[in-house]
Amino acid sequence: MAETNTTTAAANAVAAASDCGLRPSLCVARDVGGMLRDSGLRPTRQRIALGRLLYAKGDRHVTAEILHEEAMRARVPVSLATVYNTLHQFTEVGLLRELAVDGSKTWFDTNVTEHHHFLVEDDNKLFDIPGAHVSVDRLPDIPDGMEISRVDVVVRLRRKA
Ligand SMILES: [Zn+2]
């Protein structure tokens, strides 16, 4: 019996580890320091504190302002500028995906797999479109020497009058 449990635990650990690359939130809450080191970022106290806030709640979407507010509430002493820089550093090493939804706000997504979003304009709330139920039929010709890196679809919603 004990052996079965050990095997299961090992299998789970392997599953979690293999998901880490694309879904940091699935595995990181346990070891933010290790995740940062694996990504080539020095695990400073601030990065670890912000990483814990970011990844402890599963897949989510934050702006620098939202995360800064959470840090204040958790008594993590960081400036908004530091939060902003940290979010960009995490994005550069692939731990976050940046979503430019409109000109004034940059969202960061802990789920870095390919997916699309609904935006509720009234509430300024962003959430995933479940499954892969978006197809883009026609894309424009792209300039010579370029390739499409990815296509982000944001479906904007508002409440019916
Ligand atoms: Zn998302």
Side-chain angles (χ1 to χ4, degrees):
M1 205 56 184
E3 201 180 297
T4 313
N5 287 341
T6 311
T7 312
T8 310
N12 287 343
V14 168
S18 62
D19 284 335
C20 285
L22 288 174
R23 302 287 294 276
S25 56
L26 293 181
C27 62
V28 192
R30 278 164 251 156
D31 180 18
V32 174
M35 170 200 79
L36 291 173
R37 267 189 299 272
D38 290 348
S39 309
L41 287 177
R42 205 155 56 85
T44 62
R45 195 178 295 186
Q46 282 181 332
R47 284 184 184 143
I48 288 177
L50 291 175
R52 285 203 180 118
L53 288 173
L54 265 176
Y55 295 107
K57 298 178 189 170
D59 288 341
R60 57 196 297 238
H61 311 89
V62 299
T63 62
E65 289 76 15
I66 290 172
L67 187 60
H68 183 245
E69 227 167 81
E70 285 183 12
M72 295 295 95
R73 273 202 300 274
R75 300 188 190 285
V76 176
V78 283
S79 66
L80 180 58
T82 300
V83 171
Y84 198 76
N85 290 338
T86 305
L87 287 169
H88 279 286
Q89 289 158 356
F90 281 22
T91 303
E92 270 165 37
V93 298
L95 295 174
L96 289 173
R97 200 174 121 170
E98 190 178 326
L99 298 163
V101 173
D102 60 45
S104 61
K105 220 164 229 152
T106 303
W107 290 86
F108 296 87
D109 197 336
T110 62
N111 177 359
V112 296
T113 61
E114 192 106 341
H115 66 285
H116 303 287
H117 295 93
F118 284 125
L119 174 73
V120 185
E121 290 185 325
D122 310 323
D123 308 346
N124 209 9
K125 227 188 170 135
L126 193 71
F127 60 100
D128 293 347
I129 295 176
H133 297 304
V134 175
S135 81
V136 180
D137 274 353
R138 277 192 47 194
L139 290 167
D141 292 336
I142 54 171
D144 283 345
M146 300 285 202
E147 61 184 0
I148 292 173
S149 124
R150 71 176 204 228
V151 176
D152 289 335
V153 175
V154 176
V155 179
R156 291 165 181 270
L157 306 173
R158 63 175 172 227
R159 288 181 215 298
K160 290 189 192 173

